[in-house]
Amino acid sequence: KILDIVRRVSELENGMPYYVVCNTVDIDTGATGRFNTSSGSVMAKLAKLHHFGVLPAVVQITQTDKVTKKGFRPLDLLVLAVNAD
């Protein structure tokens, strides 16, 4: 579950100018955690969740089987539930 997000300025010269830090909780164990992402599609969906004020949200991060020309497997975010207190 994504509890909240914070946008940070990236220090990397190539790629996105920002990345997002997500504060999370595992819905099965209650363990808290944090992860960072600079995936454009994931950040866009997280930004929409934040903009519309529907965090916390239960999500699932998925990864495509198709490899890009640069050798990456793009990530996506599947939103399972919003306002998930």
Side-chain angles (χ1 to χ4, degrees):
K1 180 189 322 185
I2 306 291
L3 301 175
D4 57 41
I5 64 171
V6 178
R7 184 179 74 168
R8 301 274 190 224
V9 175
S10 176
E11 296 178 6
L12 300 176
E13 292 183 18
N14 297 328
M16 302 292 271
Y18 300 99
Y19 66 98
V20 173
V21 179
C22 302
N23 292 304
T24 65
V25 63
D26 185 304
I27 60 173
D28 293 324
T29 67
T32 59
R34 181 177 288 167
F35 75 90
N36 303 331
T37 184
S38 60
S39 166
S41 62
V42 173
M43 287 195 306
K45 290 183 180 182
L46 290 169
K48 285 182 181 181
L49 292 169
H50 175 75
H51 174 76
F52 290 112
V54 294
L55 290 174
V58 178
V59 302
Q60 179 179 355
I61 296 176
T62 61
Q63 188 175 39
T64 182
D65 290 331
K66 186 177 179 182
V67 178
T68 66
K69 291 179 184 177
K70 292 186 178 182
F72 297 106
R73 292 180 54 211
L75 300 177
D76 198 9
L77 190 76
L78 177 62
V79 179
L80 304 174
V82 296
N83 292 320
D85 285 326

